[in-house]
Amino acid sequence: MIRFGMCHPPAGLNLYVASGITELTKAVMPWLLTMLLFLVLITYIPQITMVLPNLIYQ
């Protein structure tokens, strides 16, 4: 019953907010994919993260 009330006026504002979130997600997707790529690189190639410590302790 609560879900039905959220989808119709006067509480239809939730649909408007949900559509805004969808647009925002589409706009931010390139940045999210870039961060995910860097996360995968850092996670699976440890030499990337160990460059600075190796320089300091050699």
Side-chain angles (χ1 to χ4, degrees):
M1 194 66 154
I2 293 174
R3 288 184 187 175
F4 184 76
M6 296 268 189
C7 294
H8 298 285
L13 180 63
N14 291 337
L15 292 174
Y16 178 73
V17 171
S19 69
I21 291 172
T22 303
E23 291 176 14
L24 179 66
T25 304
K26 288 179 184 177
V28 175
M29 192 59 70
W31 297 103
L32 291 174
L33 293 175
T34 303
M35 288 192 298
L36 182 64
L37 174 68
F38 280 108
L39 177 65
V40 168
L41 286 174
I42 288 172
T43 303
Y44 292 107
I45 305 175
Q47 293 84 4
I48 294 173
T49 58
M50 296 301 293
V51 168
L52 189 58
N54 287 339
L55 289 174
I56 293 173
Y57 293 113
Q58 281 185 4

